[in-house]
């Protein structure tokens, strides 16, 4: 049951920040423009809880679209503390998940000829094959299908409404390529990942009754990280909120738009803020970082912003670590000098992050930390656990539960069970199915308690005892079952990759593990101390960034994201005399009072 007293307490605390309080009380369309550390997720969580408790009667609910699954899990966890648990009444997930589970699966069969019966989501190899076949059909030359498809992908994500003349007029060959590719998928009963919001848009646009059905179920739509979600989401918002009557509550930050390679466009949020039927709220207080770091961050951004330090965060330190040598020597400096210096100051490892631009830089830091016998966890593209995968996160959570034993079983079994139902059945499961699933899960978890297993054989058991039977009964047509096999491969003991299960689960002796992350993966997270690595001249900005003003601006925003992650200390490691020009701007700004 919703915890009314907990919500009342949160609302009382928000009264100290008028913009936050007014935003969560808003009853019309609104956008919350939230800078780093300004309480964006807290504001969104309380707004959702207040809306569900005060504005909407059951069985109606709300939908919340997030950038990735990790954001969705964080919101679910915060709402649970207010007594609001995941249920059929509400949806929290990505735009692709929303399109699939709330639009396509419920309504596609009502529209003759839209999709094949029993369609499923294509694998990576199946999409590659469709690209090759359709390329040969349209172009019939010796060119590179994948290179041409990258251009087609951009058009496909940008030109959402194909009823407009621009679909055919602008790059007609690419339009033909895309349509041939999609036809090839349909012949095999497939859709792909990008199909989901596109098909949902078409269904909603062409069928008023479906719009009315969505309005009846979800009278309020929440959107997190609006600047990162691209054209398909924007077009869906315009249809659902400004043509169909669903109330919009969106949160975003133009200065943290860093996903143009996935079709994100900060101008979409900018255009939305200029509508006369939307109320804008600006969150200006930074509750995360000390004053010196906030000043430095504006130097990193290269623009003025009206951000203020919260009264309890007046400190903040910056330290500069020039190294006479290349990336390998810089990584060694981090492992041998920078990290120990932070620990001596009292920072605990799990509140320290080492951030870099690309996973290959993470490989260098990981190697240096291994040589220094320092524990770490990676959240980049070479990580064992893909943070964007619900299944991977679920597997990790199960390992954590088992490693805790009877006395410290965490996370709660109820949360594991809720995640398992979502993974296997999607949005709905019968009571008998829930009971059977619960029995399988409980038997497996109990069998591992006290066994002191290593990760590789435990994952093999997980795949054999849970994944294989679940695949046979799954109604979730978009589930990355191969994630478990990939994790098994990445813990191969013959390649010295295996580890005790408690290490995989994050339950290790001592104070924990340092986080290694790309700047992209670190977005939305915060740490007591952050080490920026790979900020040399030519690294950021690099030659690709300098190709266009748009690319250069995004690289600058990426740098800004890294600078704004720490609460207390920011360490900058670079080649002596070869630091990025942005580092000097950051230094100069941080010295101002």
């Amino acid at each position: 049951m919703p915890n009314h007293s907990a919500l009342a307490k949160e609302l009382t605390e928000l009264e100290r920040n008028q913009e936050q309080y007014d935003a969560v009380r808003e009853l019309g369309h609104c956008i919350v423009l939230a800078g780093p550390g300004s309480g964006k997720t807290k504001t969104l969580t309380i707004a959702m809880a207040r809306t569900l408790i005060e504005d909407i009667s059951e069985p109606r609910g709300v939908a919340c679209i997030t950038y990735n699954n990790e954001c969705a899990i964080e919101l679910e966890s915060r709402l649970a503390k207010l007594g609001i648990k995941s249920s059929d009444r509400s949806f929290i997930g990505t735009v692709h998940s929303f399109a699939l589970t709330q639009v396509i699966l419920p309504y596609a069969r009502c529209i003759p000829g839209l999709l094949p019966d029993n369609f499923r989501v294509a694998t990576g190899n199946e999409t590659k094959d469709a690209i090759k076949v359709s390329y040969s059909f349209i172009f019939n030359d010796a060119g590179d299908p994948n290179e041409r498809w990258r251009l087609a992908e951009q058009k496909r994500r940008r030109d959402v409404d194909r009823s407009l003349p621009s679909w055919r007029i602008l790059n007609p060959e690419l339009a033909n390529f895309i349509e041939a590719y999609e036809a090839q998928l349909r012949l095999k009963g497939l859709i792909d990942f990008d199909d989901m919001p596109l098909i949902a848009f078409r269904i909603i646009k062409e069928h008023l009754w479906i719009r009315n059905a969505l309005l009846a179920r979800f009278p309020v739509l929440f959107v997190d990280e609006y600047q990162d979600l691209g054209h398909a989401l924007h077009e869906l918002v315009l249809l659902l909120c400004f043509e169909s009557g669903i109330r919009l509550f969106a949160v975003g930050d133009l200065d943290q738009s860093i996903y143009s390679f996935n079709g994100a466009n900060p101008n979409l949020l900018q255009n939305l803020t200029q509508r006369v039927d939307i109320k804008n709220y600006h969150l200006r207080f930074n509750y995360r970082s000390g004053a010196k770091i906030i000043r430095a961050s504006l130097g990193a951004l290269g623009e003025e912003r009206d951000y203020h330090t919260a009264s309890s965060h007046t400190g903040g330190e910056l330290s500069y670590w020039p190294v006479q040598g290349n990336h390998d020597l810089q990584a060694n400096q981090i492992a041998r000098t920078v990290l120990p210096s932070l620990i001596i100051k009292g920072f605990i490892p799990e509140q320290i992050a080492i951030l870099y631009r690309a996973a290959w830089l993470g490989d260098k830091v990981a190697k240096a930390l291994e040589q220094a016998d320092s524990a770490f966890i990676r959240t980049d593209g070479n990580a064992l656990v893909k943070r964007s995968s619900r299944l991977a996160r679920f597997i990790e959570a199960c390992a954590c539960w088992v490693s805790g034993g009877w006395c410290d079983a965490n996370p709660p079994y109820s949360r594991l069970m809720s995640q398992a139902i979502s993974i296997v059945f999607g949005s709905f499961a019968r009571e008998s199915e829930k009971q059977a699933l619960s029995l399988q899960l409980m038997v497996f978890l109990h069998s591992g308690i006290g066994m002191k297993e290593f990760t590789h054989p435990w994952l093999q058991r997980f795949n054999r005892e849970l994944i294989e039977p679940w695949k046979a009964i799954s109604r979730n047509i978009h589930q990355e079952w191969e994630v478990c096999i990939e994790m098994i491969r990445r813990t191969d003991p013959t390649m010295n990759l295996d580890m005790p299960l408690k290490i995989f689960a994050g339950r290790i002796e001592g104070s924990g593990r340092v986080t290694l992350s790309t700047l992209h993966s670190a977005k939305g997270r915060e740490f007591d101390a952050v080490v920026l690595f790979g900020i040399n001249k030519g690294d950021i900005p690099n030659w690709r960034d300098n190709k266009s003003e748009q690319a250069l601006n995004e690289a600058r925003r990426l740098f800004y994201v890294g600078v704004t992650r720490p609460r207390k200390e920011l360490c900058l490691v670079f080649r002596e005399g070869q630091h990025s020009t942005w580092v000097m701007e950051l230094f100069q700004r941080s010295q101002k009072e």
Side-chain angles (χ1 to χ4, degrees), residues 343-561:
I343 292 173
I344 289 172
K345 287 182 178 181
F347 291 101
I348 58 175
E350 60 261 39
Q351 284 300 330
I352 300 173
I354 302 169
L355 308 183
Y356 37 83
R357 190 166 188 180
W360 66 269
L361 288 167
D363 293 340
K364 294 182 180 297
V365 180
K367 181 179 178 181
L369 290 175
E370 287 171 349
Q371 292 172 346
D373 292 324
S374 296
F376 60 88
I377 181 171
R378 295 186 70 166
T379 61
D380 58 23
N382 290 337
L384 176 57
V385 177
K386 296 178 189 266
R387 313 310 292 180
S388 61
S389 167
R390 273 186 178 265
L391 180 58
R393 295 291 299 276
F394 172 72
I395 293 171
E396 184 184 42
C398 288
C400 189
W401 196 96
V402 168
S403 301
W406 293 106
C407 297
D408 188 20
N410 186 52
Y413 178 76
S414 59
R415 187 180 304 171
L416 292 181
M417 186 58 200
S418 175
Q419 292 173 357
I421 292 170
S422 176
I423 286 168
V424 179
F425 298 116
S427 58
F428 173 77
R430 292 183 289 273
E431 194 59 37
S432 60
E433 292 174 328
K434 293 178 182 179
Q435 291 175 2
L437 203 69
S438 179
L439 179 61
Q440 287 178 309
L441 180 60
M442 185 60 75
V443 168
F444 174 79
L445 293 176
H446 283 188
S447 70
I449 291 179
M451 297 300 292
K452 297 182 180 180
E453 287 181 275
F454 270 66
T455 303
H456 186 78
W458 184 85
L459 287 171
Q460 288 179 314
R461 284 205 308 114
F462 194 102
N463 188 65
R464 182 174 62 253
E465 297 177 27
L466 294 183
I467 297 296
E468 289 303 326
W470 288 358
K471 283 169 63 177
I473 62 173
S474 175
R475 291 195 298 274
N476 190 341
I477 67 169
H478 181 59
Q479 186 51 253
E480 300 172 311
W481 299 113
E482 68 275 9
V483 163
C484 189
I485 297 297
E486 175 66 13
M487 294 168 78
I488 291 171
R489 186 185 67 79
R490 290 193 176 200
T491 55
D492 188 347
T494 65
M495 299 177 65
N496 199 30
L497 297 175
D498 203 1
M499 67 191 82
L501 187 63
K502 65 179 182 179
I503 293 179
F504 168 70
R507 294 179 179 269
I508 62 175
E509 300 296 330
S511 55
R513 299 176 288 180
V514 175
T515 295
L516 273 57
S517 174
T518 60
L519 293 167
H520 283 96
S521 295
K523 186 171 176 293
R525 304 186 68 187
E526 57 184 41
F527 304 89
D528 283 343
V530 165
V531 181
L532 285 187
F533 169 52
I535 52 172
N536 309 300
K537 183 179 180 180
D539 285 338
I540 187 164
N542 60 27
W543 63 273
R544 292 186 184 88
D545 302 326
N546 288 310
K547 280 186 171 183
S548 69
E549 183 178 359
Q550 179 182 351
L552 187 62
N553 288 339
E554 178 154 325
R556 184 124 202 179
R557 294 194 295 267
L558 185 63
F559 183 55
Y560 172 71
V561 165

Side-chain angles (χ1 to χ4, degrees), residues 158-167 198 201 205 235:
R158 182 185 64 247
D159 296 345
V160 177
D161 190 348
R162 298 184 187 177
S163 67
L164 299 177
S166 58
W167 170 252
L198 298 176
F201 172 81
K205 181 178 175 63
E235 294 295 336

Side-chain angles (χ1 to χ4, degrees), residues 151-442:
L151 297 174
E153 240 179 352
Q154 293 176 16
K155 177 177 176 63
R156 192 179 182 214
R157 290 171 176 169
R158 182 185 64 247
D159 296 345
V160 177
D161 190 348
R162 298 184 187 177
S163 67
L164 299 177
S166 58
W167 170 252
R168 186 66 55 192
I169 293 172
L170 299 177
N171 297 307
E173 283 190 334
L174 291 182
N176 292 336
F177 188 14
I178 293 165
E179 290 171 351
Y181 163 78
E182 291 171 349
Q184 186 65 27
L185 288 182
R186 302 299 183 269
L187 283 174
K188 298 185 177 181
L190 302 171
I191 65 172
D192 74 358
F193 195 63
D194 282 340
D195 263 323
M196 296 176 191
L198 298 176
I199 294 170
F201 172 81
R202 177 180 166 187
I203 291 174
I204 294 169
K205 181 178 175 63
E206 294 178 359
H207 300 277
L208 177 61
W209 69 271
I210 294 178
R211 274 182 273 173
N212 291 334
L214 290 170
L215 171 62
R217 185 175 182 192
F218 302 124
V220 184
L221 173 66
F222 292 86
V223 182
D224 190 19
E225 303 287 10
Y226 197 102
Q227 76 283 347
D228 291 332
L229 288 163
H231 290 265
L233 179 277
H234 185 67
E235 294 295 336
L236 282 170
V237 164
L238 294 180
L239 267 178
L240 293 172
C241 299
F242 302 105
E243 292 189 30
S244 306
I246 293 177
R247 171 156 59 95
L248 173 67
F249 186 106
V251 180
D253 183 7
L254 295 165
D255 294 330
Q256 295 188 73
S257 180
I258 57 174
Y259 292 103
S260 64
F261 58 87
N262 275 342
N265 183 348
N267 291 331
L268 301 177
L269 176 59
Q270 181 67 49
N271 293 340
L272 213 55
T273 64
Q274 296 170 359
R275 290 182 63 109
V276 296
D277 51 354
I278 288 183
K279 183 71 176 291
N280 294 322
Y281 295 92
H282 295 262
L283 304 188
R284 297 179 173 88
F285 286 98
N286 186 321
Y287 294 94
R288 175 190 301 156
S289 304
K292 198 170 186 179
I293 295 174
I294 295 173
R295 291 197 301 271
S297 71
L298 297 181
L301 186 62
E303 295 183 27
E304 293 296 321
R305 293 290 183 270
D306 186 24
Y307 293 143
H308 306 285
T309 310
S311 58
S312 60
H313 290 72
T314 56
E317 294 297 328
L318 280 78
S319 60
Y320 301 84
W321 300 81
V323 178
Q324 293 183 349
N326 59 17
H327 291 114
D328 293 309
L329 293 175
Q330 292 166 40
N332 287 332
Q333 177 84 332
I334 291 172
R336 302 288 179 179
T337 307
V338 181
L339 187 56
S341 75
L342 289 172
I343 292 173
I344 289 172
K345 287 182 178 181
F347 291 101
I348 58 175
E350 60 261 39
Q351 284 300 330
I352 300 173
I354 302 169
L355 308 183
Y356 37 83
R357 190 166 188 180
W360 66 269
L361 288 167
D363 293 340
K364 294 182 180 297
V365 180
K367 181 179 178 181
L369 290 175
E370 287 171 349
Q371 292 172 346
D373 292 324
S374 296
F376 60 88
I377 181 171
R378 295 186 70 166
T379 61
D380 58 23
N382 290 337
L384 176 57
V385 177
K386 296 178 189 266
R387 313 310 292 180
S388 61
S389 167
R390 273 186 178 265
L391 180 58
R393 295 291 299 276
F394 172 72
I395 293 171
E396 184 184 42
C398 288
C400 189
W401 196 96
V402 168
S403 301
W406 293 106
C407 297
D408 188 20
N410 186 52
Y413 178 76
S414 59
R415 187 180 304 171
L416 292 181
M417 186 58 200
S418 175
Q419 292 173 357
I421 292 170
S422 176
I423 286 168
V424 179
F425 298 116
S427 58
F428 173 77
R430 292 183 289 273
E431 194 59 37
S432 60
E433 292 174 328
K434 293 178 182 179
Q435 291 175 2
L437 203 69
S438 179
L439 179 61
Q440 287 178 309
L441 180 60
M442 185 60 75

